[in-house]
Amino acid sequence: FRNICGIQPEKAGFEKVQIAPNPGDLKFIDAGFHHPKGDIKLNLKFDGEQVNGEIFIPAKMETTFYWKGKSQILTEGKNKISY
């Protein structure tokens, strides 16, 4: 998860999380990461430098998505990703 999905803690105990995917040659990532607060779910499609899809974040978890020098604060529930 750390390498391809890019899910990493920014704060001890995964209280704050960063998601910075590294898909390489993959065209999509459809994955889930279990956390005591709930599952983080990624459904992302990649086309060259573009990424589109959704990321689901559990309640009370600070999360930031990073892609090609851009960032987006993610909130609880479903988040649309389009870069």
Side-chain angles (χ1 to χ4, degrees):
F1 285 96
R2 175 174 270 176
N3 292 332
I4 294 174
C5 295
I7 300 172
Q8 297 185 58
E10 282 191 324
K11 196 173 180 183
F14 272 85
E15 291 297 318
K16 187 172 183 181
V17 176
Q18 76 171 17
I19 301 174
N22 298 295
D25 292 334
L26 296 175
K27 298 292 182 197
F28 67 92
I29 294 175
D30 188 5
F33 179 80
H34 182 68
H35 183 278
K37 291 184 177 182
D39 291 342
I40 299 170
K41 298 178 185 174
L42 284 73
N43 185 346
L44 301 172
K45 294 183 174 125
F46 303 93
D47 185 12
E49 297 290 310
Q50 297 182 337
V51 60
N52 292 286
E54 298 175 341
I55 299 176
F56 181 86
I57 302 298
K60 299 180 183 175
M61 180 181 286
E62 294 180 57
T63 310
T64 306
F65 177 79
Y66 297 95
W67 180 255
K68 306 290 182 189
K70 298 176 183 166
S71 65
Q72 176 180 337
I73 301 295
L74 304 181
T75 57
E76 169 183 335
K78 191 187 306 183
N79 295 266
K80 279 265 206 216
I81 303 296
S82 183
Y83 289 102

